[in-house]
Amino acid sequence: MTGWRFRAACRDEDPELFFPEPATPASTADAKRVCARCPVRCDCATFGDTQGSGVWGGRDEDDRRAD
């Protein structure tokens, strides 16, 4: 793991937290709370713009589609 990912608040969290099925506001809330305290949230959100699923930088699929 290199770059911004090494400093991510989610580094020691269960990855499944960020990829809930189904992705609903309730199922992504805990992941978004981790993202809220993350020092690399902006880098992660930018990366997440190219991802199809999951919570990246505090944004889920619906959030990214809304932009």
Side-chain angles (χ1 to χ4, degrees):
M1 190 178 312
T2 62
W4 61 266
R5 293 179 189 184
F6 185 73
R7 299 185 326 269
C10 64
R11 183 173 172 206
D12 295 324
E13 299 287 339
D14 181 351
E16 290 186 25
L17 179 67
F18 299 89
F19 298 94
E21 288 295 328
T24 65
S27 69
T28 60
D30 289 338
K32 288 180 176 185
R33 277 193 283 280
V34 173
C35 295
R37 62 179 170 81
C38 186
V40 295
R41 182 177 179 177
C42 291
D43 294 317
C44 184
T46 299
F47 177 79
D49 288 343
T50 65
Q51 304 303 303
S53 64
V55 175
W56 297 91
R59 300 171 67 220
D60 61 28
E61 297 96 344
D62 291 336
D63 299 329
R64 291 191 297 276
R65 271 191 291 268
D67 284 346

